Amino acid sequence: MPSAAVHRLPAGAPDDVSAVERAFAEGVIDPRGVVAVLGKTEGNGCVNDFTRAFAAAEFRRLLARHAGETAAGAVCLVMSGGTEGALAPHWLVLERREGGRGPSPALALGRAHTPALPPEDLGRRRQAVMVAEGVRAAMDDAGIDNPSDVHFVQVKVPLLTAARVAAAGARGAEVATQDTLKSMGLSRGAAALGVAVALGEVGAEAVTDEVIGRDTSLWSARASTSAGVELEGHEMIVVMGMSGRWAGPLAIDHAVMADQVDVEPVRAALARLGLDARGQLDADQRRRLVALLAKADPGTGGSLRGRRHTMLDDSDIPATRHARAFVGGALAGLVGHAELFVSGGAEHQGPDGGGPVAVIVERGA
Amino acid sequence: MPSAAVHRLPAGAPDDVSAVERAFAEGVIDPRGVVAVLGKTEGNGCVNDFTRAFAAAEFRRLLARHAGETAAGAVCLVMSGGTEGALAPHWLVLERREGGRGPSPALALGRAHTPALPPEDLGRRRQAVMVAEGVRAAMDDAGIDNPSDVHFVQVKVPLLTAARVAAAGARGAEVATQDTLKSMGLSRGAAALGVAVALGEVGAEAVTDEVIGRDTSLWSARASTSAGVELEGHEMIVVMGMSGRWAGPLAIDHAVMADQVDVEPVRAALARLGLDARGQLDADQRRRLVALLAKADPGTGGSLRGRRHTMLDDSDIPATRHARAFVGGALAGLVGHAELFVSGGAEHQGPDGGGPVAVIVERGA
Amino acid sequence: MPSAAVHRLPAGAPDDVSAVERAFAEGVIDPRGVVAVLGKTEGNGCVNDFTRAFAAAEFRRLLARHAGETAAGAVCLVMSGGTEGALAPHWLVLERREGGRGPSPALALGRAHTPALPPEDLGRRRQAVMVAEGVRAAMDDAGIDNPSDVHFVQVKVPLLTAARVAAAGARGAEVATQDTLKSMGLSRGAAALGVAVALGEVGAEAVTDEVIGRDTSLWSARASTSAGVELEGHEMIVVMGMSGRWAGPLAIDHAVMADQVDVEPVRAALARLGLDARGQLDADQRRRLVALLAKADPGTGGSLRGRRHTMLDDSDIPATRHARAFVGGALAGLVGHAELFVSGGAEHQGPDGGGPVAVIVERGA
Amino acid sequence: MPSAAVHRLPAGAPDDVSAVERAFAEGVIDPRGVVAVLGKTEGNGCVNDFTRAFAAAEFRRLLARHAGETAAGAVCLVMSGGTEGALAPHWLVLERREGGRGPSPALALGRAHTPALPPEDLGRRRQAVMVAEGVRAAMDDAGIDNPSDVHFVQVKVPLLTAARVAAAGARGAEVATQDTLKSMGLSRGAAALGVAVALGEVGAEAVTDEVIGRDTSLWSARASTSAGVELEGHEMIVVMGMSGRWAGPLAIDHAVMADQVDVEPVRAALARLGLDARGQLDADQRRRLVALLAKADPGTGGSLRGRRHTMLDDSDIPATRHARAFVGGALAGLVGHAELFVSGGAEHQGPDGGGPVAVIVERGA
């Protein structure tokens, strides 16, 4: 029976994979078992953030050296830029081990790569459909049958570049937007709705070209999608959930923040997994919390609980950077540290201004 | 017997004083009783933040129209730039009313203006000495004898500009630094140590030119200092504390955060004032919390609880902006909204990376 | 016969009107003759640039003190944010004097204020029509009959804010965009096409809602439009041209830059006015160049003369800031200083990536 | 007799070495002859600019594949971040070929790597001495005896990081500064003075610890130094000059800009090499200008030709970014395109606010 291990390791720079290499050398991680690497890198998280590609390139080479080209090519590398505030750059290495023991059901991991997405499909229903199929494949890979056992789906999606827009145009195809920054949001949004369809949160017929990026009432409680120029045209999908076909000490649950300060649902999710805290987690609870993954978003309304904020009007700092810093602070206040996977741009991921949060916990004895 | 009132009012823009004007018109605030206005304005909070001066200019004129030039000139206008994350631009109007009733001791307010500071004294012991004297004068004004009854001292300090540096140079005087951004930190730090001396937290002899801006072991638990180019050369000092010579429903207490996520001391201070919450404050508690004032700082070490952060290495966003957003998020997660007076640059204000926090609460029936 | 004077005066800060006040006191400028003040202020030139409003507020008060409320209200205050690179913050005070002598035709000035623009008309044909009427009124005011004698039309236009969008929505009206930053570009573009219509550069029927902000083949060679939140809902229009009904030493001409480095047409315009330079203007020529006004724009194609630039992909610095700095450098290299009125956002002002430039010169003896 | 070739090739991204790889494949460049690659990458050019390291890593691998590990290790990779304004990301591949024909003297290339620099020597006299020795070695390598035949010396220098500061501290050694951003300037400045000593522009005895970063009267007219975190501890030095031991079509000359708009000395240098232009270079001249390398700097005085600029007070955009955009514009206005190697941070490189410029030209028939 397989067992999932999650290794949270520090990154000294976007290309600093030394902690992972050391874990390989010491036998802590078997490189051939690596399913995915989720990385928080220290760029701006927007269009010209090359720290994601730099990290992905180094990991691709590291994995090829240790596990061979084929295995390395199958690993999902999901780099998410932006460590605003005190958020710590780090890697989450997700590993599948055989011969797992311990409690079951337990944390289960699955992955899938979709075929290449034509530029003109990006940000449209066809992208959502493709992602929904990918999520189902990743659920199969994870041994999860029931969508309600899925607690987080991390998807890395492509974006449009001037070159891709031109390539589509040369074939007479029209893209959803010519604005490359906007294409990031549309791509994240379409993929999130694909997750929602696969998990039964939104009906497949509701996901039309028109609603993507517009109808904020449609959302997934468990999708987290990141865009990056380093991806050619396909998506990488990682499913995390609970499965009776997996055993091991780790468990996962999720929560939905309704807005940027709504940390109480996260506290409740932690409590359900045995980390019941009045205020901040104590040192032992902190140690047992293996990973926290969350989406942060400024929302479209320009206010939080009736009070105006200025994230959307600030022409010096992108709104997603503000949101990651602030939501990162709110979650760090709850957890007691800031090595958290807080990702920005939550289109169709949680309600407007809010976002999904997953917590992975080592169960007590 | 005097009574203190604290009005928290929204700002739609740096020059939007309409909510205050309306409160004057409706008799909610007596313009002649205004002791100070503390404002969070939506600039970058650094050198070229003109939102502070814009707000101060509008308030000076508003107060002159409603209370006369002389009374307006005596009001301490402390504008603090930077509403990163979801922090809400707002004004805190501090009012002294006569004929107060209700519990005593109660929140007491005092203020002082220091004489003009020669540019060459800025960031040096002489500034600290001047501020210490000003704090004592403001304590007298507030009717507070015992330094331990003081819970927060807000000081607005000048900074060096190219013109002021040149003026000193023309007289043969040497300034502490030629770097205008650095002068903000030195001025904040010297003033904070002045507060610490006045409150008995640091011995007067310990405050030498050499330690200012360097020795992070010297700090005040109750000082909050902001620099701004809109100030000619003097300081404005507002003291908040508890006094038996004041009566009224409001009470104040303070806490010290040891680092950017250390919210539990703030929770404890709230509990001491009757707002005892397991997680986030509930709606009624939130209503009773009239104001929260805090300092946020990236610290000098580049890490939070052993994990690296990138605030100090980010050449795109100033570290103080990162810190305000993140600490603002941590405190908003505790309180349940983000209309908080979170100010950046905590040199000698709390321990390295941490900062003082004051809470003003309406006591229960 | 009237005569035009143009005073270029330094600004030490957005609210520093001291040089203008001194010119009033010394009789250099008659406050009652001020037609317009064009200011370069040192904000970011984007949505949250409050330096424009700060400057306008101070000028409104200064003029009211010296020329009375009515005359002050008629002055066109056109504040343009953004002094990137070495661009110098400064004021251009345009004055109309009676009893002018010297050569004629000469520089002529006219102004107009349009009625308030409903939010739903912003960025649409109706705005262009309104501006076209305003330009004709300003031409009348300047005593210019022939559109070909107009060399520059500076228009200050409003933008949409969340509040204005909501106000329109409450009446059941739909605005052109909900994106406040985008509304700046649409408003600038519609106004520029209004100028083009008034000057006969574009047929009135060609300006439909659909082309505004999209069809870059439609443009004016003499329009310069700036958006600012400080404007309630109307436009302020300043026309500069040559008129036989004006006399005086100043003359104006214009050029169109085809892209961001196309300075040779500007050199030719300077030569037509007697400033013929092989390379950079010499000191005497520089003295005779009273003002240079230009538009800078990154263009939509992402390249300059076949080589990629990164202005459109930089999520840290807005593209208009890049463009002002770079085009400012190109023009300063020609002129020999950087106290130039370089304004960003050239939608329908000159060809895509280029922009109109006006030069005002004191004619030789 | 050797001959120098200089290939200017576009970069589609920091890791896009495809144009160079194509040139290898087509035989346009012999990978074994590559002396140095100078790259302009599209990061912020400051502390957290990882585009430099990303580019260097890709080039190191590309060269190892095509020329072997040893030859690749000897190539000087000088990546300079920052393509503000319309500056185009590009690579300058400097190649040494044997069997050169054509005019002599001609452009000559030499290189050197210094030993590792202890962190405590960075920004101090010892760094300057080490660089001076390296320049002499690179001159030997280039076959240049007379310092006056050297026209440009490009040096890549290390900077201090928190880790390096700590390493020095652990040995009881004190570094010149703990501020990592400041260390970039000190390192650039010390290296520039090292060049000045080697070229006889400044006496060796004048370069004390005290003058580095302070005495702006000491400078080299031919040094260009860039700092980058990607460098471990040594310097890489590339010398370009004219040598009678080299033959070929290329020639080099240099100029010094006295301030950010002083382009006329550059025009004169171009004219000396046969590119004599009244205004902007024409298309043929532009083709013959193979490369332009320049330093841009905001200067310390806050003004340009008596008019205030705001580069030093802008807390949103680093001053070096402003300067590159603006000086890039001034030079692009002269040359007619923006694929220019404009590097920021000109401490001791040219006079305060100015900087050295080198031009490499293909001589006419």
Side-chain angles (χ1 to χ4, degrees):
Chain A
M1 206 179 262
S3 175
V6 175
H7 310 269
R8 199 174 80 232
L9 295 165
D15 61 330
D16 175 24
V17 300
S18 61
V20 179
E21 188 149 32
R22 210 153 41 235
F24 288 171
E26 294 168 356
V28 176
I29 304 175
D30 180 347
R32 290 159 306 178
V34 175
V35 171
V37 180
L38 277 55
K40 277 307 306 175
T41 62
E42 58 203 274
N44 62 25
C46 301
V47 175
N48 65 329
D49 179 353
F50 298 100
T51 63
R52 297 173 301 218
F54 198 11
E58 293 301 318
F59 266 106
R60 199 62 79 196
R61 286 174 174 127
L62 175 75
L63 290 162
R65 281 201 304 277
H66 287 85
E69 290 281 352
T70 312
V75 173
C76 290
L77 299 177
V78 182
M79 300 300 156
S80 163
T83 57
E84 291 80 8
L87 290 173
H90 67 285
W91 318 117
L92 291 175
V93 182
L94 309 187
E95 184 189 4
R96 177 189 173 122
R97 295 170 174 173
E98 301 308 323
R101 288 195 294 187
S104 179
L107 174 64
L109 306 170
R111 71 179 163 200
H113 296 253
T114 70
L117 183 79
E120 60 269 29
D121 286 4
L122 185 143
R124 290 189 166 136
R125 174 179 166 80
R126 285 189 297 271
Q127 183 180 11
V129 169
M130 185 182 271
V131 168
E133 282 164 18
V135 172
R136 284 181 210 110
M139 284 173 64
D140 279 352
D141 186 48
I144 300 178
D145 303 324
N146 190 338
S148 68
D149 289 333
V150 173
H151 289 288
F152 213 62
V153 182
Q154 180 70 45
V155 190
K156 183 78 192 184
V157 298
L159 52 82
L160 293 179
T161 59
R164 290 171 197 176
V165 171
R171 291 197 319 274
E174 208 185 329
V175 293
T177 179
Q178 307 239 358
D179 179 332
T180 57
L181 181 55
K182 204 172 165 191
S183 81
M184 295 179 78
L186 286 176
S187 187
R188 286 190 300 250
L193 287 174
V195 175
V197 166
L199 301 186
E201 298 172 296
V202 168
E205 73 296 340
V207 182
T208 61
D209 289 359
E210 286 67 38
V211 303
I212 296 170
R214 288 202 192 84
D215 184 348
T216 58
S217 72
L218 300 175
W219 48 271
S220 168
R222 291 166 275 169
S224 169
T225 65
S226 293
V229 76
E230 67 274 18
L231 222 58
E232 269 313 313
H234 62 291
E235 279 99 356
M236 291 189 295
I237 299 170
V238 183
V239 158
M240 302 179 220
M242 294 295 283
S243 168
R245 290 181 233 156
W246 291 58
L250 300 185
I252 187 171
D253 205 335
H254 77 277
V256 174
M257 293 174 75
D259 59 33
Q260 295 97 349
V261 295
D262 188 31
V263 296
E264 292 307 311
V266 184
R267 186 189 309 276
L270 290 167
R272 289 194 298 273
L273 294 177
L275 304 186
D276 193 10
R278 185 183 192 275
Q280 204 168 73
L281 297 190
D282 64 30
D284 180 62
Q285 291 171 324
R286 203 139 66 218
R287 194 192 50 72
R288 285 176 51 203
L289 175 60
V290 176
L292 182 150
L293 303 103
K295 290 298 295 196
D297 201 63
T300 60
S303 68
L304 170 63
R305 299 191 178 180
R307 291 161 178 97
R308 184 172 74 99
H309 64 67
T310 60
M311 294 192 270
L312 300 178
D313 287 339
D314 190 341
S315 304
D316 297 310
I317 302 181
T320 46
R321 303 200 73 180
H322 277 289
R324 272 190 299 266
F326 185 82
V327 175
L331 290 166
L334 171 62
V335 164
H337 71 80
E339 202 168 73
L340 307 174
F341 192 86
V342 179
S343 162
E347 298 85 356
H348 301 299
Q349 299 150 69
D352 191 24
V357 181
V359 287
I360 300 176
V361 167
E362 191 180 314
R363 288 177 278 204
Chain B
M1 205 179 262
S3 174
V6 174
H7 311 269
R8 199 174 81 233
L9 295 166
D15 61 331
D16 175 23
V17 300
S18 61
V20 180
E21 188 151 31
R22 210 153 39 234
F24 288 172
E26 294 169 354
V28 176
I29 306 175
D30 180 347
R32 290 159 305 177
V34 175
V35 171
V37 180
L38 277 56
K40 277 308 304 175
T41 62
E42 59 202 276
N44 62 25
C46 302
V47 175
N48 65 329
D49 179 353
F50 298 100
T51 63
R52 298 173 301 219
F54 198 10
E58 294 300 319
F59 266 107
R60 200 61 79 197
R61 286 174 175 128
L62 175 74
L63 290 162
R65 280 201 305 277
H66 286 86
E69 290 281 352
T70 312
V75 173
C76 289
L77 298 177
V78 182
M79 300 301 155
S80 163
T83 55
E84 291 79 8
L87 289 173
H90 68 284
W91 317 117
L92 291 174
V93 182
L94 309 187
E95 184 188 5
R96 177 189 174 122
R97 294 170 174 174
E98 301 307 322
R101 289 195 294 188
S104 179
L107 174 63
L109 307 170
R111 70 180 165 200
H113 297 253
T114 69
L117 183 81
E120 60 268 30
D121 286 4
L122 185 144
R124 290 187 166 137
R125 175 180 166 78
R126 285 190 297 271
Q127 182 180 12
V129 169
M130 185 181 275
V131 168
E133 284 164 17
V135 172
R136 284 182 210 108
M139 284 173 63
D140 279 351
D141 186 47
I144 301 177
D145 302 324
N146 190 337
S148 69
D149 289 332
V150 172
H151 290 288
F152 213 62
V153 183
Q154 181 70 44
V155 190
K156 182 78 194 184
V157 298
L159 51 81
L160 293 179
T161 59
R164 291 171 195 177
V165 171
R171 293 197 318 273
E174 207 184 331
V175 292
T177 178
Q178 307 239 359
D179 179 332
T180 57
L181 182 55
K182 204 173 164 189
S183 81
M184 294 179 78
L186 286 176
S187 186
R188 285 189 300 250
L193 288 174
V195 175
V197 167
L199 301 186
E201 298 172 296
V202 169
E205 72 296 340
V207 182
T208 60
D209 289 359
E210 287 65 39
V211 303
I212 295 172
R214 288 203 194 82
D215 184 348
T216 58
S217 72
L218 300 175
W219 48 271
S220 168
R222 290 166 278 168
S224 169
T225 66
S226 292
V229 76
E230 67 274 18
L231 223 58
E232 270 312 314
H234 63 290
E235 279 99 356
M236 291 188 295
I237 300 169
V238 183
V239 158
M240 303 177 220
M242 294 296 283
S243 168
R245 289 182 234 154
W246 291 57
L250 299 184
I252 186 170
D253 205 336
H254 77 276
V256 174
M257 293 174 72
D259 59 33
Q260 295 97 350
V261 295
D262 188 30
V263 295
E264 292 307 311
V266 185
R267 187 188 308 277
L270 289 166
R272 290 196 298 274
L273 294 177
L275 305 185
D276 193 10
R278 186 185 192 271
Q280 204 170 72
L281 297 191
D282 64 29
D284 180 62
Q285 291 172 323
R286 204 137 69 216
R287 195 189 51 71
R288 285 176 51 201
L289 175 61
V290 174
L292 182 151
L293 303 102
K295 290 298 295 194
D297 201 64
T300 61
S303 67
L304 170 62
R305 300 192 177 178
R307 292 162 180 96
R308 183 173 74 99
H309 64 67
T310 60
M311 294 192 269
L312 300 177
D313 287 340
D314 190 341
S315 304
D316 296 310
I317 302 182
T320 47
R321 302 201 74 180
H322 276 291
R324 272 191 298 266
F326 185 82
V327 175
L331 290 167
L334 172 61
V335 163
H337 71 80
E339 204 169 72
L340 308 173
F341 192 88
V342 178
S343 162
E347 298 85 355
H348 300 300
Q349 300 149 70
D352 191 25
V357 180
V359 286
I360 300 177
V361 166
E362 192 180 313
R363 288 178 278 204
Chain C
M1 207 180 260
S3 175
V6 174
H7 310 270
R8 199 174 80 232
L9 296 165
D15 60 330
D16 175 22
V17 300
S18 60
V20 181
E21 189 151 30
R22 209 153 41 235
F24 288 171
E26 293 169 356
V28 175
I29 305 175
D30 179 347
R32 290 160 305 178
V34 175
V35 171
V37 180
L38 277 56
K40 278 309 303 178
T41 62
E42 59 201 277
N44 62 26
C46 301
V47 175
N48 65 329
D49 179 354
F50 298 100
T51 63
R52 297 173 301 217
F54 198 9
E58 294 301 319
F59 266 106
R60 200 62 80 197
R61 285 173 175 127
L62 174 74
L63 289 163
R65 282 201 305 277
H66 287 86
E69 290 280 352
T70 312
V75 173
C76 289
L77 299 177
V78 182
M79 301 299 156
S80 163
T83 56
E84 291 79 8
L87 289 173
H90 69 285
W91 318 116
L92 291 175
V93 182
L94 309 188
E95 184 189 4
R96 177 190 173 121
R97 295 171 174 173
E98 301 307 322
R101 289 195 292 187
S104 179
L107 174 64
L109 307 170
R111 71 181 163 199
H113 296 253
T114 69
L117 184 80
E120 60 269 30
D121 287 2
L122 186 143
R124 290 188 168 136
R125 175 179 166 80
R126 285 190 296 272
Q127 182 179 12
V129 170
M130 185 182 271
V131 168
E133 283 165 17
V135 173
R136 283 183 211 107
M139 284 174 63
D140 280 351
D141 187 46
I144 300 178
D145 302 324
N146 190 339
S148 69
D149 289 332
V150 172
H151 289 288
F152 213 62
V153 182
Q154 180 70 45
V155 190
K156 183 77 191 185
V157 298
L159 51 81
L160 293 179
T161 58
R164 291 172 197 177
V165 171
R171 291 197 319 272
E174 208 185 328
V175 293
T177 179
Q178 308 239 357
D179 179 330
T180 56
L181 182 55
K182 204 174 163 188
S183 81
M184 295 180 78
L186 286 176
S187 186
R188 285 190 299 250
L193 288 175
V195 175
V197 167
L199 300 186
E201 299 172 295
V202 169
E205 71 298 338
V207 182
T208 60
D209 289 0
E210 287 65 39
V211 303
I212 296 171
R214 288 202 192 82
D215 184 348
T216 58
S217 73
L218 300 176
W219 47 271
S220 168
R222 291 165 276 169
S224 168
T225 65
S226 292
V229 75
E230 68 274 19
L231 222 58
E232 271 311 315
H234 63 290
E235 279 98 355
M236 292 189 295
I237 299 170
V238 183
V239 158
M240 304 178 219
M242 294 296 282
S243 169
R245 291 182 233 156
W246 292 57
L250 300 184
I252 187 170
D253 205 335
H254 77 275
V256 174
M257 293 174 73
D259 59 33
Q260 295 97 351
V261 295
D262 188 30
V263 296
E264 291 308 309
V266 184
R267 185 188 309 277
L270 290 166
R272 288 195 299 272
L273 295 177
L275 305 185
D276 193 11
R278 185 184 193 274
Q280 204 170 73
L281 297 191
D282 64 30
D284 180 61
Q285 292 171 321
R286 202 138 67 218
R287 195 191 50 73
R288 284 177 50 202
L289 176 61
V290 175
L292 182 150
L293 304 102
K295 290 298 295 194
D297 202 64
T300 61
S303 68
L304 170 63
R305 300 193 178 178
R307 292 162 178 96
R308 185 172 74 98
H309 65 66
T310 60
M311 295 192 269
L312 300 177
D313 286 339
D314 189 341
S315 304
D316 296 312
I317 301 181
T320 47
R321 302 200 74 180
H322 276 290
R324 272 190 299 267
F326 184 81
V327 175
L331 290 167
L334 171 62
V335 163
H337 72 79
E339 203 169 71
L340 308 173
F341 192 87
V342 179
S343 162
E347 299 85 356
H348 301 299
Q349 299 149 68
D352 191 24
V357 180
V359 287
I360 300 176
V361 167
E362 192 179 316
R363 288 178 279 202
Chain D
M1 206 180 263
S3 174
V6 174
H7 310 270
R8 198 172 83 233
L9 295 165
D15 60 331
D16 175 23
V17 301
S18 61
V20 180
E21 188 151 31
R22 211 155 37 237
F24 288 172
E26 294 170 355
V28 176
I29 305 175
D30 179 347
R32 291 160 306 178
V34 175
V35 172
V37 180
L38 277 55
K40 277 306 305 175
T41 63
E42 58 203 276
N44 62 26
C46 301
V47 175
N48 65 329
D49 180 353
F50 298 100
T51 62
R52 298 173 299 219
F54 197 10
E58 294 301 318
F59 266 106
R60 201 60 79 197
R61 285 172 176 131
L62 174 76
L63 290 162
R65 281 199 305 277
H66 286 86
E69 290 281 352
T70 312
V75 174
C76 289
L77 298 176
V78 182
M79 300 301 156
S80 163
T83 56
E84 291 80 5
L87 290 172
H90 68 284
W91 318 117
L92 291 175
V93 183
L94 309 187
E95 184 188 4
R96 176 189 174 121
R97 294 172 174 172
E98 301 307 323
R101 289 196 292 187
S104 181
L107 174 64
L109 306 170
R111 71 181 165 199
H113 297 253
T114 69
L117 183 80
E120 60 269 29
D121 286 3
L122 185 142
R124 289 187 167 137
R125 175 179 166 79
R126 285 190 296 272
Q127 182 179 12
V129 169
M130 185 181 273
V131 168
E133 283 165 17
V135 173
R136 283 181 212 109
M139 283 174 64
D140 280 351
D141 187 46
I144 300 177
D145 302 323
N146 190 338
S148 68
D149 289 333
V150 172
H151 290 286
F152 213 62
V153 182
Q154 181 69 45
V155 190
K156 183 79 193 183
V157 298
L159 50 82
L160 293 179
T161 59
R164 291 172 195 174
V165 171
R171 291 196 319 274
E174 207 185 330
V175 293
T177 178
Q178 307 238 359
D179 180 331
T180 56
L181 181 56
K182 204 173 164 189
S183 80
M184 294 178 78
L186 286 175
S187 186
R188 286 190 299 250
L193 288 174
V195 175
V197 166
L199 301 186
E201 299 172 294
V202 169
E205 73 296 340
V207 181
T208 60
D209 288 359
E210 287 66 37
V211 303
I212 296 171
R214 287 202 194 81
D215 184 347
T216 58
S217 72
L218 299 175
W219 47 270
S220 168
R222 291 165 277 169
S224 168
T225 66
S226 293
V229 75
E230 67 274 18
L231 223 58
E232 269 313 315
H234 62 290
E235 279 100 355
M236 292 188 296
I237 298 169
V238 183
V239 158
M240 304 178 220
M242 294 296 283
S243 169
R245 289 182 236 155
W246 291 56
L250 300 185
I252 187 170
D253 205 335
H254 77 276
V256 174
M257 293 174 74
D259 59 34
Q260 296 98 350
V261 295
D262 188 30
V263 296
E264 292 308 311
V266 185
R267 187 188 309 277
L270 289 167
R272 289 195 298 274
L273 294 177
L275 305 185
D276 193 10
R278 185 184 193 272
Q280 204 169 74
L281 297 190
D282 64 30
D284 180 61
Q285 291 171 324
R286 202 136 70 217
R287 195 191 49 73
R288 284 176 51 202
L289 175 60
V290 175
L292 182 151
L293 304 101
K295 291 298 295 195
D297 201 62
T300 61
S303 67
L304 170 63
R305 300 194 177 177
R307 293 164 178 95
R308 184 172 74 99
H309 64 67
T310 60
M311 294 192 271
L312 301 176
D313 287 339
D314 190 341
S315 305
D316 297 310
I317 302 182
T320 47
R321 303 200 73 181
H322 277 290
R324 272 191 298 266
F326 185 82
V327 175
L331 290 167
L334 172 61
V335 163
H337 71 80
E339 204 169 73
L340 307 173
F341 192 87
V342 179
S343 161
E347 299 85 356
H348 301 298
Q349 299 149 68
D352 191 24
V357 180
V359 286
I360 300 177
V361 166
E362 192 180 313
R363 288 179 277 204

